[in-house]
């Protein structure tokens, strides 16, 4: 072996040894570290959770105001959104013919009264003559019939006057209930009648308001199948419900669920429910969009924070930590429409399971982690 070959072999040996040393160093310094995650060991919990449902508000009475006579709008006494009392004038309709009918009926009464007086005098004049045999009884009967006809004519004239005054009274349109005036599509001078398609306005009685919301068929089934009580009995035993206004604030009056519609909407698969709320200060207006919040007292159930779950293909998953400190994704089912940022688990988890509380969406199944177990009092602090 010549000197050049020997040097080449020696260089190659040094290079191989150096690479092996570097590989060992890389393996020692580059080992993946086990990350810490907050976990919770599940135990049965009791709490009050809320279920929220979008709702629309309607007044206890939404009354369309329509004219009963034909004429031109002469005066509008209120503005849109005004709070009115029952009997308060809303519109004045100009209809001179009804004033003329009152004058005509009044004149007819005077004429009928005069005829009645004349007929009465005739009877009084004929009666003595009949009694003395000067004239026949036929003349007295004829005078009596004339008198009775005059009495009927006066009664008819009085009725005509009452009817004319009633029609004249219809020219002033008043509110039938206490409430709030809706939109007014007509203006001064508009011709209106009882056949007009659009009402003059709408008055909503809002001393009490109704909140209408929908419950899906599954939730309704869960609601109706438990215990042996009838649906009406269950409705009466339901707790008071709350109302969240459009700005997210809570309304200061509690409401009560009154009715559950007996028919399920085949298009939406839901059933309509009505809750009544007192509205003494008129804060809530008909047509408002709100949220009905129903409290749900649960006892001895598995409750998990929503942040400890993730959704995949319309399914909800939680991450359970095994005894080998490796993670496993578990499909769970939960009660619907619960707020408070918690889920009530109906299947998939049990007491004693240790779940990961954070970063679950990015945590791969089978990952090894270091558990940092949290106290239940800390996790459920805002639930108690």
């Amino acid at each position: 072996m010549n000197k050049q070959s020997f040097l080449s072999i020696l260089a190659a040996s040094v290079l191989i040894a150096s690479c092996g040393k570097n590989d060992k160093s890389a393996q020692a310094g580059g080992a993946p570290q086990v990350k810490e995650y907050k976990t919770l060991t599940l135990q049965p919990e009791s709490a009050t959770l809320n279920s929220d449902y979008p709702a629309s508000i309607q007044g206890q009475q939404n009354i369309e105001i329509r004219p009963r006579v034909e004429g031109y709008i002469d005066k509008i006494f209120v503005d849109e959104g005004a709070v009115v009392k029952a009997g308060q004038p809303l519109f004045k309709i100009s209809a001179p013919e009804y004033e003329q009918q009152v004058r005509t009926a009044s004149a007819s009464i005077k004429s009928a009264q005069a005829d009645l007086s004349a007929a009465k005098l005739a009877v009084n004049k004929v009666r003595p003559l009949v009694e003395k045999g000067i004239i026949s009884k036929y003349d007295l009967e004829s005078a009596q019939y004339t008198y009775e006809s005059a009495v009927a004519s006066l009664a008819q004239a009085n009725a005509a006057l009452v009817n004319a005054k009633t029609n004249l009274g219809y020219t002033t349109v008043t509110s039938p209930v206490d409430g709030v005036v809706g939109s007014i599509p007509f203006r001064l001078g508009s011709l209106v009648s009882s056949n007009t398609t659009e009402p003059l306005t709408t008055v909503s009685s809002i001393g009490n308001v109704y909140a209408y919301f929908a419950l899906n068929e599954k939730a309704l089934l869960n609601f109706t199948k438990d215990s042996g009580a009838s649906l009406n009995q269950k409705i009466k035993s339901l707790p008071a419900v709350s109302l969240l206004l459009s700005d997210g604030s809570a309304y200061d009056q509690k409401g009560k669920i009154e009715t559950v519609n007996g028919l399920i909407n085949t298009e939406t698969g839901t059933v309509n429910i009505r809750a009544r709320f007192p509205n003494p200060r008129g804060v809530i207006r008909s047509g408002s969009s709100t949220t009905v919040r129903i409290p749900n007292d649960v006892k001895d159930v598995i409750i998990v924070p929503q942040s400890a779950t993730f959704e995949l293909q319309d399914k909800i998953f939680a991450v359970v930590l095994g005894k080998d400190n490796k993670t496993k994704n578990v499909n769970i089912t939960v009660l619907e429409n619960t707020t408070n940022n918690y889920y009530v688990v109906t299947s998939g988890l049990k007491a004693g399971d240790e779940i990961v509380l954070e970063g679950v969406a990015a945590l791969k199944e089978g990952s090894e982690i270091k558990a940092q177990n949290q106290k239940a009092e800390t996790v459920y602090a805002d639930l108690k």
Side-chain angles (χ1 to χ4, degrees):
M1 179 182 298
N2 56 32
K3 184 178 181 180
Q4 185 176 359
S5 299
F6 176 77
L7 292 175
S8 298
I9 294 172
L10 181 61
S13 300
V14 172
L15 179 62
I16 292 172
S18 176
C19 289
K21 183 178 181 180
N22 289 339
D23 288 343
K24 292 179 181 179
S25 299
Q27 290 178 1
Q33 295 182 349
V34 178
K35 294 184 178 180
E36 285 190 359
Y37 284 84
K38 292 181 180 180
T39 63
L40 173 69
T41 302
L42 297 176
Q43 296 296 334
E45 300 286 340
S46 298
T48 298
L49 300 177
N50 297 315
S51 299
D52 288 353
Y53 301 91
S56 61
I57 296 295
Q58 292 186 19
Q60 192 170 11
Q61 292 176 296
N62 291 326
I63 302 174
E64 293 183 344
I65 306 300
R66 296 182 178 274
R68 301 185 67 172
V69 296
E70 183 177 0
Y72 295 93
I73 296 179
D74 186 44
K75 293 181 180 179
I76 301 177
F77 298 108
V78 295
D79 201 355
E80 296 175 349
V83 178
V84 296
K85 298 291 184 181
Q88 181 176 335
L90 304 177
F91 302 90
K92 177 67 175 178
I93 297 175
S94 176
E97 63 270 26
Y98 295 109
E99 296 178 2
Q100 183 60 40
Q101 288 178 6
V102 172
R103 288 192 289 267
T104 300
S106 298
S108 297
I109 288 177
K110 292 180 179 180
S111 176
Q113 288 174 337
D115 292 342
L116 179 61
S117 298
K120 186 175 182 179
L121 288 174
V123 170
N124 293 335
K125 180 181 178 181
V126 170
R127 181 177 287 113
L129 297 176
V130 172
E131 291 175 352
K132 293 178 180 180
I134 298 175
I135 59 176
S136 67
K137 292 183 178 180
Y138 173 79
D139 293 324
L140 178 59
E141 290 176 354
S142 178
Q144 189 69 35
Y145 290 148
T146 301
Y147 173 77
E148 292 175 358
S149 177
V151 171
S153 296
L154 179 58
Q156 187 175 10
N158 283 322
L161 178 61
V162 171
N163 187 56
K165 287 183 177 180
T166 299
N167 288 333
L168 182 61
Y170 290 150
T171 60
T172 300
V173 181
T174 60
S175 175
V177 295
D178 297 346
V180 176
V181 177
S183 62
I184 302 176
F186 299 96
R187 294 297 178 259
L188 295 177
S190 300
L191 178 63
V192 295
S193 71
S194 59
N195 296 323
T196 303
T197 303
E198 199 168 11
L200 296 177
T201 188
T202 301
V203 176
S204 299
S205 175
I206 57 172
N208 290 296
V209 293
Y210 292 135
Y212 290 89
F213 61 99
L215 199 67
N216 64 40
E217 187 174 358
K218 180 180 178 181
L220 179 65
L221 183 62
N222 291 334
F223 174 71
T224 55
K225 72 180 181 180
D226 296 334
S227 75
S230 67
L231 182 59
N232 288 334
Q233 290 174 330
K234 290 180 179 179
I235 292 174
K236 291 180 180 179
S237 63
L238 287 175
V241 297
S242 304
L243 196 67
L244 301 181
L245 303 180
S246 57
D247 61 356
S249 63
Y251 182 51
D252 61 1
Q253 300 283 339
K254 296 291 186 180
K256 183 69 177 176
I257 292 178
E258 290 187 333
T259 62
V260 176
N261 195 313
L263 297 177
I264 295 176
N265 188 317
T266 55
E267 295 181 359
T268 62
T270 60
V271 62
N272 287 331
I273 298 179
R274 187 185 78 198
R276 179 175 57 85
F277 290 85
N279 190 30
R281 295 182 288 110
V283 174
I284 308 175
R285 299 297 178 94
S286 185
S288 301
S289 296
T290 58
T291 300
V292 172
R293 172 166 288 181
I294 303 177
N296 181 21
D297 292 327
V298 293
K299 296 182 179 180
D300 298 329
V301 295
I302 299 299
I303 301 175
V304 299
Q306 293 182 8
S307 59
T309 65
F310 66 95
E311 292 189 25
L312 182 63
Q313 297 180 347
D314 296 329
K315 294 182 179 180
I316 301 176
F317 290 86
V319 177
V320 177
L321 186 63
K323 293 181 179 180
D324 56 358
N325 290 329
K326 292 185 177 181
T327 61
K328 180 182 179 182
N329 296 343
V330 177
N331 180 212
I332 63 174
T333 56
V334 300
L335 292 181
E336 297 182 2
N337 296 317
T338 54
T339 59
N340 298 98
N341 299 318
Y342 293 91
Y343 284 134
V344 176
V345 180
T346 56
S347 67
L349 294 174
K350 63 183 184 300
D353 286 344
E354 187 175 4
I355 63 170
V356 181
L357 294 175
E358 58 184 14
V360 292
L363 191 59
K364 294 183 179 180
E365 183 168 7
S367 299
E368 184 177 354
I369 66 171
K370 183 177 181 181
Q372 188 179 359
N373 201 269
Q374 305 295 301
K375 294 182 179 180
E377 293 79 4
T378 303
V379 176
Y380 302 116
D382 57 343
L383 190 61
K384 301 300 182 180

